Amino acid sequence: MLASACLPFLFPAVEIDGVPYWDGGYSGNPAIAPLIVSTTADDLLLITINPLERKETPRTARAIIDRATEISFNSTFWLEMTAIAAFTKWHSDGVIDPSGFRKNFFHRIEADDK
């Protein structure tokens, strides 16, 4: 929880047992595969806080940095979701062995600027 509040460029890393941590958005935000492996739930609710797109092009240095951070934080999440979708399709098409595979349903609530 402490590290999740430490965004690079804004706050120093939090040290826990001598190891520095920053927000994990740059490496996996959040990691979905461990979640679907460790749960028996078929339906998972995802609440996204970074927009996938913006209506306006960022014009100031701060706005550009903010948008780059949003894109960076989203990229690992959407890459993982794309991989999960591919495995689901391969399963449906009979390309991969269905044993040990469980189909999950993802439901997304998107945060807005309001």
Side-chain angles (χ1 to χ4, degrees), residues 24-42:
Y26 292 107
S27 60
N29 194 31
I32 299 298
L35 175 65
I36 62 175
V37 168
S38 67
T39 185
T40 59
D42 293 328

Side-chain angles (χ1 to χ4, degrees), residues 6-9 22-29 65 68-69 72-73 75-76:
C6 292
L7 298 173
F9 307 114
W22 267 305
D23 187 286
Y26 292 107
S27 60
N29 194 31
I65 290 170
T69 299
S72 176
F73 275 40
S75 65
T76 53

